[in-house]
Structure formats: C-alpha cells, structure tokens
Amino acid sequence: MLCGQVLLVFVGYVVKFMEIGGWGVENLENFSNFVGNMRSGRMSFPARTKPFFTMKLKYQENLESIGRNCPPDGYVAEQITPVYRWVFEQIEDPRNFQAPLFRKPTRFSESSPHRCCEAMALSMFDNLEGARARFLELKTAMGESIYKALGNRIAIGYIEKSDGLHGGRGRHGHFNFHPAETMNFHEKFQISTEAL
Amino acid sequence: MRNIIGIVKTELDFRSRWIGNLLEYEGPLLSLYEDTDHPDTYYLHKWVDHDNNANRWVVVPMSLAAIHALFHQQTTFRQVILQADHIHLVDFDQKDNALQVLSIDIADLPDAYLPMQDSFYSESIYTEFAENFFRDRSRAGPPDNSGKN
C-alpha cells in the first residue's frame, strides 16, 4: 500500500474514532481497544454517542467569545453519580443552576478571560461530606450572610456523559461543570438536605 | 437588603484599587484593595448582602499589623472588622458603580454581616493569592505599632 493510501485509511479511522467518542481522558481506553481491534482486523464500533467536541454548551456563544481554552484543556464529558450542589430552598429557584456570571447582580467585576470562563461554570461536589465541609469553611469566614449568597440546601443529582464538560476534582471533591445546552437540572437534581 | 443606620456619603473618602481576592466561591467573597495614596494601607471588602440591583460590601481598613496578626492566627477576620477605626457599607451595582455609601458605627452592623467567632485565616480555605500576599507581607515580622489595626 502506498504511503498516501495508508495515510488516508488512518485518517479515516481517526475520523471514525472521533465520531464515536472524542478525545476525552475516559476515552483513552476506548482508543486503546480501537487500535487493538484495528490491528486484529476486528473492527466494530460501539453505538454512536454524542461526541463532546460537538456538544453545544449552555452559554456557547459567550464561551466562544472568550477565545481559546474555554472550557479549559482537560475538561471531559463523563458520567458522575451522585453529584451535590448548594442550592436555595426550592429546587425550582432560577438562581440554583444559573452561571455566576449571569446572576443579577453578579459578584464578578473582573474581566480576565480565565475568570469569565470560570464564571460560566457551576460548582459541584462528588461527595456530600465534601460539600458540607466546604460550606462550613465559607460560613465560618463569611457568617450567616453566606446563606443569602449560596443557598441553604444541598441538592443531589447525577450527570450523564452528554450533560456537559467538567474539570478535575479539587479539595473536598469540588469540580467545575459547564452544562450542555440540553441539560435539564430540574429533572436530574432534587433537594437532599440542609447545607448546615 | 437590610436597612442600616449610617451617614450617607457621596463617595468613599479614600482611593483604592483591587489587588486580589482572599476568598472565592462562584465569585469573590472577600477581596483586598490597597490605598492608592497611602502605601501599606489596605482595605478588606467583605460581601454581605444583595438585592436585585446591587451587591453590598463591608469595607474596613486593614493595617500591616492586622495582616501579620491574621497570618499568624493571632486574630480573626471578625476581630479585624470589629476593631476597625471606621466601617463603610457600599452598595455596588452590576457595573461596579457605588449606588450608596454609608459610614456606620460598628454597633449598627448586623451580626449576620460578620464572620464567625473562629474565622481564623487558614491556607487551605483561602485563595492562593491570600497565601502569597499574607506570607509576603508578614515576612518582615510584626510592625512596631500595636497589633490593633
């Protein structure tokens, strides 16, 4: 086979791979399997899933206006169950899942691209203890006023792969989440307990 | 927002500029400003309240002595506010314009606006900026004047 043909076949396989799952960290295993199947001649593609690089995010136009690296490199589409988020008393409260940048009035006044990008993500925790621990830290530092800023309940929910992109875990299992345009938080989250 | 008794002013009687956030969660909660005319004079801005039009911040001066005491856990953020010479409440709109500036007596500051009793500085809770700033400003040791701000 000529080099050009090999290249074309390879490009074809790469395109096929990208169509089925994208380049997220969780897909490295898929990629490995994919290469193995390609070598052995056993090519079978899993059911087509929505590739995250074509996923339309909520605030997509705003995210694009920031330019490159928003959401940052390393953000992936991945199922996480359960997840926790601080919310106000009623799950239907529009503030609960609104990006901080678009709340009125927002506390953001800086304009750096990195900060603006971050302000369009929602804070989540991957464990209840972590969510409570961070809330206690902020309540200690801020006093009772923290309830008015962040709510007084913790909601439990789940995130599916097609629901958005999230960053790595930080202290207490905290992570930032950029929701997909199709994400319906009210279907996937419910009030679990008091924040503190 | 709560109605607070105070002296209405047209603007703050000092000029300052933002230098960083000490505490954040989906936006700044505690920010630090420095006086543009008086070096080594800082202002702590603590978010306390909001309504549909504005965010309210408590603004208190913070000396190097207070910064040193905070970093070494000899005082708390609550004490820094309670011992401040003067306290302002400023309502900032979406574009950072001061809609209302109140000079208030500490006795008129609602307890809900204050940090908790054990609001000591801790590296793990506050931002990386806070850690760098406090460490840098505390390196020279405590100032000669008292630990009171």
Side-chain angles (χ1 to χ4, degrees):
Chain A
M1 216 181 321
L2 296 174
C3 290
Q5 287 176 297
V6 171
L7 183 63
L8 280 174
V9 170
F10 179 72
V11 168
Y13 278 133
V14 169
V15 168
K16 199 72 183 172
F17 168 70
M18 291 173 74
E19 283 178 354
I20 63 175
W23 292 96
V25 171
E26 80 283 9
N27 281 317
L28 288 177
E29 190 181 338
N30 289 348
F31 184 68
S32 175
N33 293 337
F34 172 83
V35 170
N37 288 339
M38 196 170 67
R39 283 178 177 159
S40 66
R42 291 181 288 108
M43 283 306 301
S44 62
F45 297 110
R48 185 186 170 102
T49 55
K50 188 175 184 180
F52 70 71
F53 55 84
T54 59
M55 180 191 296
K56 186 169 185 185
L57 297 172
K58 200 172 181 184
Y59 317 121
Q60 182 75 39
E61 288 74 22
N62 304 85
L63 293 167
E64 285 174 1
S65 72
I66 288 174
R68 297 177 63 187
N69 210 22
C70 180
D73 293 339
Y75 272 53
V76 295
E78 185 183 53
Q79 178 180 322
I80 309 177
T81 305
V83 294
Y84 300 88
R85 175 170 168 79
W86 306 338
V87 294
F88 293 90
E89 197 155 0
Q90 303 297 325
I91 196 68
E92 299 81 10
D93 193 313
R95 296 170 293 177
N96 286 339
F97 300 102
Q98 186 176 35
L101 189 63
F102 300 111
R103 289 181 203 147
K104 292 196 182 302
T106 179
R107 278 180 280 121
F108 277 94
S109 60
E110 305 154 60
S111 57
S112 81
H114 168 73
R115 301 281 297 161
C116 281
C117 183
E118 197 175 67
M120 285 187 269
L122 298 173
S123 280
M124 305 267 179
F125 294 86
D126 68 2
N127 68 94
L128 180 59
E129 296 75 21
R132 280 209 162 119
R134 185 57 177 154
F135 198 95
L136 179 59
E137 290 174 353
L138 295 184
K139 186 182 173 187
T140 301
M142 297 297 292
E144 299 285 331
S145 58
I146 199 67
Y147 292 117
K148 193 160 181 181
L150 305 174
N152 57 0
R153 295 286 189 277
I154 293 177
I156 183 172
Y158 61 97
I159 292 172
E160 294 177 286
K161 192 173 178 180
S162 59
D163 287 338
L165 303 178
H166 68 82
R169 311 291 203 281
R171 285 183 67 245
H172 300 310
H174 172 271
F175 63 92
N176 283 335
F177 178 68
H178 283 281
E181 189 182 40
T182 53
M183 174 61 166
N184 186 338
F185 285 102
H186 296 125
E187 277 183 3
K188 297 184 175 180
F189 280 78
Q190 60 183 8
I191 301 289
S192 168
T193 180
E194 291 190 359
L196 274 181
Chain B
M1 270 195 294
R2 290 169 184 250
N3 285 323
I4 308 291
I5 299 168
I7 301 168
V8 179
K9 304 173 85 169
T10 53
E11 59 182 6
L12 290 167
D13 47 15
F14 52 84
R15 293 187 304 164
S16 63
R17 69 176 187 92
W18 175 86
I19 55 173
N21 297 326
L22 303 177
L23 186 68
E24 297 176 337
Y25 192 86
E26 295 194 336
L29 291 167
L30 276 178
S31 298
L32 198 62
Y33 286 66
E34 69 178 357
D35 196 302
T36 52
D37 300 315
H38 301 94
D40 293 338
T41 297
Y42 300 92
Y43 299 96
L44 180 68
H45 286 220
K46 178 188 180 292
W47 182 90
V48 292
D49 208 347
H50 71 85
D51 61 14
N52 291 333
N53 301 313
N55 278 297
R56 174 172 288 170
W57 297 77
V58 169
V59 178
V60 297
M62 200 161 71
S63 66
L64 276 179
I67 289 166
H68 186 272
L70 269 172
F71 184 68
H72 292 282
Q73 301 193 323
Q74 294 160 351
T75 191
T76 62
F77 281 98
R78 182 183 176 95
Q79 285 303 314
V80 167
I81 294 173
L82 289 175
Q83 295 174 358
D85 293 334
H86 50 274
I87 298 177
H88 289 95
L89 279 182
V90 187
D91 296 345
F92 288 106
D93 71 6
Q94 187 85 3
K95 293 181 177 174
D96 243 9
N97 302 310
L99 299 182
Q100 176 177 262
V101 179
L102 279 181
S103 176
I104 67 164
D105 192 281
I106 187 64
D108 294 321
L109 191 68
D111 197 63
Y113 282 10
L114 286 167
M116 307 297 270
Q117 298 281 357
D118 55 345
S119 52
F120 290 100
Y121 169 74
S122 167
E123 281 183 8
S124 60
I125 295 173
Y126 293 84
T127 61
E128 192 177 340
F129 163 80
E131 180 183 346
N132 293 333
F133 178 83
F134 281 166
R135 178 166 291 140
D136 185 49
R137 295 302 187 281
S138 299
R139 194 168 287 151
D144 288 339
N145 53 343
S146 73
K148 198 176 172 190
N149 54 20

mmCIF file of all heavy atoms in Angstrom, chain A residues 125-156:
data_model
loop_
_atom_site.group_PDB
_atom_site.id
_atom_site.type_symbol
_atom_site.label_atom_id
_atom_site.label_comp_id
_atom_site.label_asym_id
_atom_site.label_seq_id
_atom_site.Cartn_x
_atom_site.Cartn_y
_atom_site.Cartn_z
ATOM 1 N N PHE A 125 -19.871 19.083 43.789
ATOM 2 C CA PHE A 125 -19.037 18.207 44.619
ATOM 3 C C PHE A 125 -19.389 16.761 44.295
ATOM 4 O O PHE A 125 -20.539 16.453 43.989
ATOM 5 C CB PHE A 125 -19.287 18.470 46.110
ATOM 6 C CG PHE A 125 -18.852 19.841 46.556
ATOM 7 C CD1 PHE A 125 -19.703 20.928 46.442
ATOM 8 C CD2 PHE A 125 -17.582 20.055 47.073
ATOM 9 C CE1 PHE A 125 -19.302 22.193 46.848
ATOM 10 C CE2 PHE A 125 -17.171 21.305 47.485
ATOM 11 C CZ PHE A 125 -18.029 22.380 47.371
ATOM 12 N N ASP A 126 -18.387 15.895 44.420
ATOM 13 C CA ASP A 126 -18.678 14.480 44.147
ATOM 14 C C ASP A 126 -18.970 13.699 45.421
ATOM 15 O O ASP A 126 -19.094 12.478 45.376
ATOM 16 C CB ASP A 126 -17.548 13.827 43.340
ATOM 17 C CG ASP A 126 -16.249 13.704 44.129
ATOM 18 O OD1 ASP A 126 -16.213 14.074 45.315
ATOM 19 O OD2 ASP A 126 -15.257 13.219 43.540
ATOM 20 N N ASN A 127 -19.064 14.411 46.558
ATOM 21 C CA ASN A 127 -19.449 13.718 47.791
ATOM 22 C C ASN A 127 -20.103 14.695 48.753
ATOM 23 O O ASN A 127 -19.772 15.899 48.764
ATOM 24 C CB ASN A 127 -18.234 13.035 48.435
ATOM 25 C CG ASN A 127 -17.223 14.021 48.979
ATOM 26 O OD1 ASN A 127 -17.269 14.368 50.157
ATOM 27 N ND2 ASN A 127 -16.316 14.535 48.134
ATOM 28 N N LEU A 128 -21.041 14.193 49.530
ATOM 29 C CA LEU A 128 -21.827 15.031 50.432
ATOM 30 C C LEU A 128 -20.956 15.620 51.545
ATOM 31 O O LEU A 128 -21.108 16.789 51.904
ATOM 32 C CB LEU A 128 -22.967 14.207 51.037
ATOM 33 C CG LEU A 128 -23.892 14.931 52.020
ATOM 34 C CD1 LEU A 128 -24.562 16.123 51.356
ATOM 35 C CD2 LEU A 128 -24.948 13.972 52.569
ATOM 36 N N GLU A 129 -20.054 14.814 52.073
ATOM 37 C CA GLU A 129 -19.196 15.287 53.165
ATOM 38 C C GLU A 129 -18.354 16.468 52.702
ATOM 39 O O GLU A 129 -18.163 17.440 53.440
ATOM 40 C CB GLU A 129 -18.291 14.163 53.665
ATOM 41 C CG GLU A 129 -19.012 12.984 54.295
ATOM 42 C CD GLU A 129 -19.689 12.078 53.262
ATOM 43 O OE1 GLU A 129 -19.287 12.105 52.078
ATOM 44 O OE2 GLU A 129 -20.651 11.371 53.632
ATOM 45 N N GLY A 130 -17.842 16.376 51.481
ATOM 46 C CA GLY A 130 -17.033 17.466 50.937
ATOM 47 C C GLY A 130 -17.857 18.733 50.752
ATOM 48 O O GLY A 130 -17.392 19.834 51.057
ATOM 49 N N ALA A 131 -19.085 18.574 50.258
ATOM 50 C CA ALA A 131 -19.957 19.731 50.057
ATOM 51 C C ALA A 131 -20.233 20.418 51.392
ATOM 52 O O ALA A 131 -20.211 21.646 51.501
ATOM 53 C CB ALA A 131 -21.266 19.285 49.405
ATOM 54 N N ARG A 132 -20.484 19.626 52.409
ATOM 55 C CA ARG A 132 -20.762 20.198 53.736
ATOM 56 C C ARG A 132 -19.514 20.853 54.326
ATOM 57 O O ARG A 132 -19.587 21.907 54.947
ATOM 58 C CB ARG A 132 -21.253 19.093 54.666
ATOM 59 C CG ARG A 132 -22.713 18.759 54.473
ATOM 60 C CD ARG A 132 -23.265 18.264 55.807
ATOM 61 N NE ARG A 132 -24.705 18.328 55.830
ATOM 62 C CZ ARG A 132 -25.476 17.275 55.982
ATOM 63 N NH1 ARG A 132 -24.952 16.077 56.097
ATOM 64 N NH2 ARG A 132 -26.782 17.413 56.034
ATOM 65 N N ALA A 133 -18.360 20.190 54.152
ATOM 66 C CA ALA A 133 -17.126 20.709 54.737
ATOM 67 C C ALA A 133 -16.781 22.079 54.153
ATOM 68 O O ALA A 133 -16.393 23.003 54.878
ATOM 69 C CB ALA A 133 -15.987 19.726 54.501
ATOM 70 N N ARG A 134 -16.940 22.204 52.839
ATOM 71 C CA ARG A 134 -16.619 23.495 52.210
ATOM 72 C C ARG A 134 -17.623 24.560 52.633
ATOM 73 O O ARG A 134 -17.258 25.722 52.841
ATOM 74 C CB ARG A 134 -16.598 23.351 50.687
ATOM 75 C CG ARG A 134 -16.157 24.609 49.941
ATOM 76 C CD ARG A 134 -14.784 25.094 50.381
ATOM 77 N NE ARG A 134 -14.325 26.262 49.628
ATOM 78 C CZ ARG A 134 -13.461 27.159 50.096
ATOM 79 N NH1 ARG A 134 -12.940 27.027 51.308
ATOM 80 N NH2 ARG A 134 -13.091 28.192 49.371
ATOM 81 N N PHE A 135 -18.886 24.162 52.771
ATOM 82 C CA PHE A 135 -19.893 25.126 53.213
ATOM 83 C C PHE A 135 -19.558 25.640 54.615
ATOM 84 O O PHE A 135 -19.665 26.834 54.896
ATOM 85 C CB PHE A 135 -21.296 24.498 53.199
ATOM 86 C CG PHE A 135 -22.394 25.523 53.221
ATOM 87 C CD1 PHE A 135 -22.975 25.957 52.040
ATOM 88 C CD2 PHE A 135 -22.827 26.091 54.410
ATOM 89 C CE1 PHE A 135 -23.961 26.920 52.049
ATOM 90 C CE2 PHE A 135 -23.825 27.053 54.429
ATOM 91 C CZ PHE A 135 -24.401 27.472 53.247
ATOM 92 N N LEU A 136 -19.126 24.741 55.481
ATOM 93 C CA LEU A 136 -18.769 25.145 56.844
ATOM 94 C C LEU A 136 -17.596 26.120 56.828
ATOM 95 O O LEU A 136 -17.586 27.108 57.573
ATOM 96 C CB LEU A 136 -18.425 23.914 57.690
ATOM 97 C CG LEU A 136 -18.008 24.188 59.133
ATOM 98 C CD1 LEU A 136 -19.105 24.914 59.894
ATOM 99 C CD2 LEU A 136 -17.645 22.893 59.854
ATOM 100 N N GLU A 137 -16.618 25.852 55.975
ATOM 101 C CA GLU A 137 -15.477 26.773 55.867
ATOM 102 C C GLU A 137 -15.944 28.170 55.457
ATOM 103 O O GLU A 137 -15.513 29.177 56.033
ATOM 104 C CB GLU A 137 -14.479 26.244 54.828
ATOM 105 C CG GLU A 137 -13.725 25.002 55.252
ATOM 106 C CD GLU A 137 -12.850 24.438 54.145
ATOM 107 O OE1 GLU A 137 -12.909 24.928 52.993
ATOM 108 O OE2 GLU A 137 -12.110 23.480 54.431
ATOM 109 N N LEU A 138 -16.812 28.212 54.463
ATOM 110 C CA LEU A 138 -17.263 29.517 53.974
ATOM 111 C C LEU A 138 -18.181 30.199 54.984
ATOM 112 O O LEU A 138 -18.141 31.419 55.148
ATOM 113 C CB LEU A 138 -17.975 29.368 52.627
ATOM 114 C CG LEU A 138 -17.096 28.887 51.477
ATOM 115 C CD1 LEU A 138 -17.884 28.862 50.170
ATOM 116 C CD2 LEU A 138 -15.871 29.764 51.308
ATOM 117 N N LYS A 139 -18.976 29.432 55.687
ATOM 118 C CA LYS A 139 -19.849 30.024 56.701
ATOM 119 C C LYS A 139 -19.003 30.617 57.832
ATOM 120 O O LYS A 139 -19.312 31.687 58.357
ATOM 121 C CB LYS A 139 -20.816 28.976 57.251
ATOM 122 C CG LYS A 139 -21.845 29.569 58.203
ATOM 123 C CD LYS A 139 -22.767 28.514 58.778
ATOM 124 C CE LYS A 139 -23.655 29.130 59.850
ATOM 125 N NZ LYS A 139 -24.460 28.119 60.551
ATOM 126 N N THR A 140 -17.946 29.936 58.209
ATOM 127 C CA THR A 140 -17.064 30.444 59.259
ATOM 128 C C THR A 140 -16.428 31.764 58.824
ATOM 129 O O THR A 140 -16.349 32.718 59.599
ATOM 130 C CB THR A 140 -15.954 29.415 59.569
ATOM 131 O OG1 THR A 140 -16.571 28.198 59.973
ATOM 132 C CG2 THR A 140 -15.038 29.923 60.676
ATOM 133 N N ALA A 141 -16.001 31.810 57.586
ATOM 134 C CA ALA A 141 -15.327 33.016 57.082
ATOM 135 C C ALA A 141 -16.299 34.154 56.808
ATOM 136 O O ALA A 141 -15.940 35.326 56.954
ATOM 137 C CB ALA A 141 -14.556 32.686 55.809
ATOM 138 N N MET A 142 -17.532 33.818 56.443
ATOM 139 C CA MET A 142 -18.467 34.854 55.984
ATOM 140 C C MET A 142 -19.612 35.109 56.934
ATOM 141 O O MET A 142 -20.286 36.144 56.828
ATOM 142 C CB MET A 142 -19.048 34.433 54.626
ATOM 143 C CG MET A 142 -18.020 34.315 53.525
ATOM 144 S SD MET A 142 -17.240 35.888 53.159
ATOM 145 C CE MET A 142 -18.619 36.787 52.444
ATOM 146 N N GLY A 143 -19.888 34.189 57.846
ATOM 147 C CA GLY A 143 -21.033 34.363 58.740
ATOM 148 C C GLY A 143 -22.334 33.969 58.077
ATOM 149 O O GLY A 143 -22.357 33.329 57.016
ATOM 150 N N GLU A 144 -23.422 34.374 58.701
ATOM 151 C CA GLU A 144 -24.757 33.954 58.238
ATOM 152 C C GLU A 144 -25.098 34.475 56.847
ATOM 153 O O GLU A 144 -25.980 33.942 56.179
ATOM 154 C CB GLU A 144 -25.820 34.458 59.231
ATOM 155 C CG GLU A 144 -25.671 33.921 60.655
ATOM 156 C CD GLU A 144 -26.114 32.475 60.787
ATOM 157 O OE1 GLU A 144 -26.991 32.074 60.011
ATOM 158 O OE2 GLU A 144 -25.570 31.762 61.650
ATOM 159 N N SER A 145 -24.405 35.509 56.420
ATOM 160 C CA SER A 145 -24.720 36.076 55.102
ATOM 161 C C SER A 145 -24.466 35.078 53.974
ATOM 162 O O SER A 145 -24.981 35.244 52.868
ATOM 163 C CB SER A 145 -23.929 37.362 54.851
ATOM 164 O OG SER A 145 -22.545 37.125 54.951
ATOM 165 N N ILE A 146 -23.699 34.041 54.269
ATOM 166 C CA ILE A 146 -23.368 33.073 53.220
ATOM 167 C C ILE A 146 -24.628 32.402 52.668
ATOM 168 O O ILE A 146 -24.692 32.033 51.499
ATOM 169 C CB ILE A 146 -22.374 32.002 53.743
ATOM 170 C CG1 ILE A 146 -21.674 31.299 52.580
ATOM 171 C CG2 ILE A 146 -23.041 31.002 54.649
ATOM 172 C CD1 ILE A 146 -20.748 32.172 51.798
ATOM 173 N N TYR A 147 -25.650 32.262 53.530
ATOM 174 C CA TYR A 147 -26.883 31.615 53.072
ATOM 175 C C TYR A 147 -27.535 32.413 51.935
ATOM 176 O O TYR A 147 -28.135 31.856 51.037
ATOM 177 C CB TYR A 147 -27.878 31.464 54.224
ATOM 178 C CG TYR A 147 -27.432 30.479 55.280
ATOM 179 C CD1 TYR A 147 -27.188 30.893 56.579
ATOM 180 C CD2 TYR A 147 -27.265 29.136 54.973
ATOM 181 C CE1 TYR A 147 -26.781 29.987 57.561
ATOM 182 C CE2 TYR A 147 -26.859 28.224 55.937
ATOM 183 C CZ TYR A 147 -26.621 28.656 57.232
ATOM 184 O OH TYR A 147 -26.222 27.759 58.181
ATOM 185 N N LYS A 148 -27.407 33.734 52.042
ATOM 186 C CA LYS A 148 -28.040 34.569 51.014
ATOM 187 C C LYS A 148 -27.265 34.507 49.694
ATOM 188 O O LYS A 148 -27.826 34.693 48.619
ATOM 189 C CB LYS A 148 -28.147 36.013 51.503
ATOM 190 C CG LYS A 148 -29.057 36.850 50.636
ATOM 191 C CD LYS A 148 -29.543 38.092 51.334
ATOM 192 C CE LYS A 148 -30.477 38.877 50.422
ATOM 193 N NZ LYS A 148 -30.967 40.104 51.038
ATOM 194 N N ALA A 149 -25.977 34.233 49.795
ATOM 195 C CA ALA A 149 -25.162 34.152 48.577
ATOM 196 C C ALA A 149 -25.294 32.800 47.899
ATOM 197 O O ALA A 149 -25.345 32.721 46.668
ATOM 198 C CB ALA A 149 -23.702 34.419 48.914
ATOM 199 N N LEU A 150 -25.335 31.754 48.695
ATOM 200 C CA LEU A 150 -25.172 30.416 48.120
ATOM 201 C C LEU A 150 -26.342 29.471 48.345
ATOM 202 O O LEU A 150 -26.368 28.384 47.770
ATOM 203 C CB LEU A 150 -23.900 29.767 48.690
ATOM 204 C CG LEU A 150 -22.615 30.580 48.507
ATOM 205 C CD1 LEU A 150 -21.459 29.921 49.238
ATOM 206 C CD2 LEU A 150 -22.278 30.747 47.039
ATOM 207 N N GLY A 151 -27.285 29.872 49.179
ATOM 208 C CA GLY A 151 -28.409 28.992 49.455
ATOM 209 C C GLY A 151 -28.251 28.296 50.796
ATOM 210 O O GLY A 151 -27.271 28.500 51.515
ATOM 211 N N ASN A 152 -29.235 27.474 51.126
ATOM 212 C CA ASN A 152 -29.203 26.800 52.427
ATOM 213 C C ASN A 152 -29.524 25.316 52.336
ATOM 214 O O ASN A 152 -29.820 24.666 53.316
ATOM 215 C CB ASN A 152 -30.173 27.483 53.391
ATOM 216 C CG ASN A 152 -31.591 27.509 52.854
ATOM 217 O OD1 ASN A 152 -31.851 27.021 51.750
ATOM 218 N ND2 ASN A 152 -32.496 28.087 53.601
ATOM 219 N N ARG A 153 -29.496 24.794 51.137
ATOM 220 C CA ARG A 153 -29.770 23.378 50.937
ATOM 221 C C ARG A 153 -28.680 22.753 50.059
ATOM 222 O O ARG A 153 -27.976 23.454 49.344
ATOM 223 C CB ARG A 153 -31.114 23.179 50.225
ATOM 224 C CG ARG A 153 -32.332 23.644 51.020
ATOM 225 C CD ARG A 153 -32.655 22.693 52.147
ATOM 226 N NE ARG A 153 -33.916 22.985 52.802
ATOM 227 C CZ ARG A 153 -34.087 23.885 53.759
ATOM 228 N NH1 ARG A 153 -33.054 24.608 54.186
ATOM 229 N NH2 ARG A 153 -35.259 24.075 54.317
ATOM 230 N N ILE A 154 -28.593 21.447 50.147
ATOM 231 C CA ILE A 154 -27.725 20.712 49.231
ATOM 232 C C ILE A 154 -28.613 19.823 48.375
ATOM 233 O O ILE A 154 -29.451 19.081 48.906
ATOM 234 C CB ILE A 154 -26.689 19.864 49.993
ATOM 235 C CG1 ILE A 154 -25.700 20.787 50.727
ATOM 236 C CG2 ILE A 154 -25.931 18.942 49.033
ATOM 237 C CD1 ILE A 154 -24.685 20.055 51.575
ATOM 238 N N ALA A 155 -28.437 19.953 47.072
ATOM 239 C CA ALA A 155 -29.199 19.104 46.144
ATOM 240 C C ALA A 155 -28.316 17.950 45.701
ATOM 241 O O ALA A 155 -27.096 18.085 45.570
ATOM 242 C CB ALA A 155 -29.637 19.909 44.928
ATOM 243 N N ILE A 156 -28.967 16.808 45.499
ATOM 244 C CA ILE A 156 -28.261 15.632 44.976
ATOM 245 C C ILE A 156 -28.755 15.392 43.554
ATOM 246 O O ILE A 156 -29.933 15.609 43.254
ATOM 247 C CB ILE A 156 -28.508 14.390 45.861
ATOM 248 C CG1 ILE A 156 -27.702 13.189 45.345
ATOM 249 C CG2 ILE A 156 -29.986 14.050 45.950
ATOM 250 C CD1 ILE A 156 -27.752 11.985 46.283
#
